[in-house]
Amino acid sequence: MLEHENYLKRAIELAKLGLGNVSPNPMVGSVVVHQDKIIGEGYHQKYGKAHAEVNAIQQVLENFTNAEELLKNSTLYVTLEPCSHFGKTPPCADLIIKHQIPQVVIGCLDPFESVNGKGVEKLKAAGINVITGVLEEECIDLNKRFFTRVKQQRPYVILKWAQTEDGYFCPADGDQKWITGEEAKRLVHLWRSQEDCVLVGKNTALIDNPQLNVRLVKGRDPKRAVIDRNLDLPKNLNLFDNSLNTFVFNATKTDLENKTTYIGIEDFDHFLPQYILFQLYLQDVQSLIIEGGIKTLQTFIDAGLWDEARIFTGDVNWGEGKKAPHIKGNTTEKYPIGKDKLTIIKPLNS
């Protein structure tokens, strides 16, 4: 079993290379092993393109003249159950059967209804020895975004904010004032490149005039979202520059104007976080970062609709101002980012 775990660990490493590029698909990695040697590797690189198993098998076919014979005596390792249905690409289970790979080791099953257990059944029906549940927790955590979307019909929600040593979020007058250093800013831009959408409230949009894009690192820009109940925000803000797809959650208008989608929500006073997350789910948004402000963050916290909080604590004390959101959970990680500290908190019931 330890041998299986070592190869699955490599497959997990490969899968992570797809972060930010495969949503709303899961990240998947795969390796082909022949006589204790990896002869093929692959991962799902881009949404709509070849899956991990296809790329791993293809590498074997390209690199070995006796590839077909090698595959018939190999084990294929994959972090997620091979698909058994026609989607953007043909079923991976069929490809494995075609090449007569005798053994497949799977990290975790795919919760998606069209796959869930059916890939394993198809492989077993073809006489392939299938082993499941190797590094299962790690493989589920790898695709926490995908699992949340499929099982809960909402995006995976990441809360992000910065606060002072003495717990303040912003000055009492609400003006913009930086708390963290350059290292933290770069890390936030990296996070944006890895997730599907970034959400802010009206006051944050008005005071900070954020672009909510990726500038300090290389990577793809997320979609943007803002809560503006009465459509009070001026159109000259960066959010409305039509450089990125932007959702505006409001109480009066449902329309599409260039790259700005206005989504009307009838009842803003009840279940607002639930409505927002469901609408984003319908837009194939698999993960969401909420970057402020205090009211928006606290609304999602109070609704219990968050999966992870990433809190920077700056090396400053203000003595006064508006207090940071109040959150309860389990601290899972804590480490320095430049002169600042980053704390990762997960919900108590996770």
Side-chain angles (χ1 to χ4, degrees):
M1 188 59 75
L2 182 60
E3 173 189 347
H4 291 327
E5 289 185 0
N6 287 335
Y7 292 126
L8 246 303
K9 285 179 182 177
R10 175 56 184 162
I12 291 172
E13 289 177 359
L14 291 166
K16 289 178 179 178
L17 297 175
L19 181 59
N21 295 310
V22 300
S23 176
N25 280 356
M27 293 179 284
V28 184
S30 180
V31 297
V32 179
V33 176
H34 179 265
Q35 294 183 355
D36 299 324
K37 181 182 178 182
I38 294 176
I39 60 172
E41 296 186 332
Y43 68 97
H44 185 31
Q45 299 178 16
K46 192 174 181 63
Y47 176 67
K49 301 298 183 181
H51 289 184
E53 303 95 313
V54 176
N55 289 328
I57 292 170
Q58 186 60 35
Q59 192 176 87
V60 178
L61 294 173
E62 290 175 354
N63 291 343
F64 297 92
T65 55
N66 61 335
E68 292 294 350
E69 190 63 31
L70 290 174
L71 289 170
K72 290 177 184 177
N73 293 279
S74 295
T75 296
L76 183 140
Y77 292 82
V78 62
T79 55
L80 188 71
E81 178 182 9
C83 60
S84 54
H85 68 295
F86 281 88
K88 293 281 185 181
T89 59
C92 291
D94 289 0
L95 183 68
I96 295 168
I97 294 167
K98 173 188 173 183
H99 289 290
Q100 300 177 43
I101 298 173
Q103 180 167 266
V104 176
V105 179
I106 299 168
C108 64
L109 298 184
D110 187 334
F112 187 56
E113 186 178 359
S114 298
V115 182
N116 199 354
K118 297 181 179 68
V120 169
E121 290 175 9
K122 183 176 266 193
L123 294 175
K124 286 182 176 179
I128 294 172
N129 181 44
V130 180
I131 299 172
T132 60
V134 179
L135 296 183
E136 185 173 26
E137 288 187 12
E138 291 88 337
C139 289
I140 291 173
D141 183 69
L142 168 71
N143 278 306
K144 55 194 176 186
R145 300 162 181 82
F146 176 73
F147 274 69
T148 299
R149 181 177 181 273
V150 171
K151 290 186 171 184
Q152 300 185 44
Q153 286 78 56
R154 67 166 177 83
Y156 184 88
V157 177
I158 300 167
L159 309 177
K160 191 279 299 182
W161 74 83
Q163 63 187 39
T164 64
E165 285 275 12
D166 48 354
Y168 292 104
F169 182 91
C170 65
D173 58 8
D175 281 351
Q176 185 185 47
K177 188 175 181 180
W178 284 106
I179 294 174
T180 53
E182 289 301 318
E183 295 89 349
K185 291 178 189 176
R186 280 196 296 273
L187 183 55
V188 170
H189 280 242
L190 176 63
W191 290 343
R192 288 178 183 172
S193 75
Q194 296 171 343
E195 312 303 338
D196 287 350
C197 187
V198 182
L199 170 73
V200 295
K202 183 184 78 171
N203 289 338
T204 299
L206 198 58
I207 295 167
D208 295 351
N209 192 20
Q211 298 179 60
L212 300 184
N213 58 9
V214 176
R215 302 182 305 280
L216 302 182
V217 300
K218 287 185 178 180
R220 68 113 167 91
D221 291 315
K223 296 174 181 176
R224 306 181 293 201
V226 62
I227 303 171
D228 184 14
R229 180 173 187 157
N230 298 314
L231 298 179
D232 296 323
L233 291 173
K235 293 296 176 62
N236 62 350
L237 293 179
N238 289 322
L239 285 175
F240 304 114
D241 62 8
N242 286 308
S243 64
L244 301 174
N245 290 325
T246 302
F247 304 107
V248 182
F249 295 102
N250 68 95
T252 62
K253 179 179 180 179
T254 298
D255 199 5
L256 176 63
E257 296 179 3
N258 294 318
K259 289 190 175 183
T260 302
T261 302
Y262 293 89
I263 299 177
I265 295 176
E266 291 184 5
D267 189 353
F268 245 69
D269 298 318
H270 302 93
F271 307 111
L272 180 61
Q274 288 88 339
Y275 285 129
I276 289 173
L277 293 182
F278 184 65
Q279 289 296 329
L280 291 175
Y281 164 79
L282 294 177
Q283 298 289 337
D284 275 343
V285 171
Q286 188 163 261
S287 59
L288 173 71
I289 302 178
I290 301 177
E291 293 197 10
I294 302 171
K295 182 180 178 182
T296 300
L297 288 162
Q298 196 66 58
T299 297
F300 279 83
I301 292 170
D302 292 344
L305 289 171
W306 62 283
D307 301 286
E308 188 178 325
R310 302 174 180 177
I311 305 168
F312 291 104
T313 302
D315 187 25
V316 291
N317 287 276
W318 287 354
E320 61 179 4
K322 293 184 179 181
K323 281 289 188 178
H326 177 67
I327 192 168
K328 290 183 180 179
N330 296 314
T331 298
T332 59
E333 295 178 76
K334 204 167 189 175
Y335 48 88
I337 303 293
K339 292 183 178 180
D340 309 310
K341 293 191 291 285
L342 175 62
T343 302
I344 309 294
I345 297 176
K346 298 287 184 68
L348 292 170
N349 58 354
S350 65

